[in-house]
Amino acid sequence: MTSIEPLREFVTLFTGLFDERSTPVEIQKAGAKLLKTLVSRDDWLPEPYTRPHPERYSQYLLHCDPLERFSVVSFVWGPGQKTPLHDHRVWGLIGMLRGKESETQFTRREDGTFAKGETGYLEPGEVSFLLPGVNDYHLVANALADRTSISIHVYGANIGGVSRAVYEEGSGVEKTFISGYSSEDVPNLWDRSRSKAA
């Protein structure tokens, strides 16, 4: 049976950062260490939040802070699935849990078009940062052609309720959207009756 205890501990510790740190950058930096610990093991994510959709990537909400200061999301990528070029408008952390993910960065020119930057890769246990005004425009894809990849994202808001945009790579034309989530359910972090005995 999967033990959700690592996720519960992560959420508890991450919530505490808002009492201990005064700026979003400080929260993000300290939170990256917590996320690295969470994705250093792959035995805690409940199976319903690991299922790929046959046609598009899935975005499962694992936790949203009651004040919407942060959210934790499982991104599940089937083979060949990718996002369009998009932004976030809030800070973010990406931790690789399973498989491999590619991330291509873009820089927006003054005329609104985009310059394509480098493509990097995330392997299990690795964490990357997103920050508006620094590296907020990117395209993300499953880097594996033959199996599912899963990454755990933490955002500085309820990301499923944030108005953001996708962009045409060549023209820079943008279309606003609110992503929502792929499931109406979230894992029950607080029922300890199903926890494994220590």
Side-chain angles (χ1 to χ4, degrees):
M1 184 173 72
T2 300
S3 172
I4 205 167
E5 186 175 340
L7 179 58
R8 180 170 58 240
E9 181 178 358
F10 171 80
V11 165
T12 301
L13 293 173
F14 208 102
T15 303
L17 294 179
F18 289 85
D19 294 328
E20 301 165 4
R21 305 291 191 271
S22 60
T23 69
V25 171
E26 290 174 335
I27 290 168
Q28 187 183 36
K29 186 174 180 181
K33 294 177 183 177
L34 297 177
L35 183 57
K36 190 168 183 62
T37 298
L38 181 66
V39 298
S40 69
R41 54 189 289 184
D42 185 8
D43 61 354
W44 55 266
L45 185 62
E47 189 275 336
Y49 309 100
T50 68
R51 297 176 187 159
H53 188 280
E55 298 172 3
R56 59 186 177 276
Y57 68 90
S58 297
Q59 179 174 310
Y60 297 109
L61 179 64
L62 302 179
H63 177 75
C64 184
D65 173 68
L67 301 179
E68 298 186 277
R69 296 173 296 182
F70 73 98
S71 54
V72 185
V73 181
S74 146
F75 274 73
V76 182
W77 313 85
Q81 292 178 346
K82 64 180 182 178
T83 69
L85 171 59
H86 65 282
D87 64 17
H88 308 84
R89 304 183 184 186
V90 297
W91 61 260
L93 296 167
I94 303 169
M96 203 66 209
L97 184 69
R98 188 180 303 170
K100 187 176 182 179
E101 191 174 278
S102 68
E103 178 194 26
T104 303
Q105 288 285 330
F106 289 80
T107 303
R108 196 161 201 190
R109 301 184 182 101
E110 287 186 13
D111 65 1
T113 62
F114 286 89
K116 188 173 183 179
E118 294 184 1
T119 297
Y121 296 89
L122 271 185
E123 302 275 359
E126 295 179 339
V127 173
S128 67
F129 293 75
L130 294 170
L131 198 59
V134 178
N135 64 338
D136 194 38
Y137 302 107
H138 70 179
L139 185 155
V140 182
N142 185 350
L144 303 177
D146 60 348
R147 64 182 191 266
T148 299
S149 292
I150 301 175
S151 50
I152 306 301
H153 297 215
V154 183
Y155 296 103
N158 171 14
I159 195 64
V162 174
S163 180
R164 308 187 277 143
V166 294
Y167 303 87
E168 291 182 8
E169 288 184 43
S171 66
V173 171
E174 70 179 75
K175 179 181 178 183
T176 59
F177 75 103
I178 297 175
S179 67
Y181 297 105
S182 300
S183 170
E184 295 182 1
D185 302 316
V186 294
N188 184 346
L189 297 180
W190 311 115
D191 179 2
R192 289 177 172 84
S193 67
R194 297 183 183 185
S195 296
K196 289 183 179 178

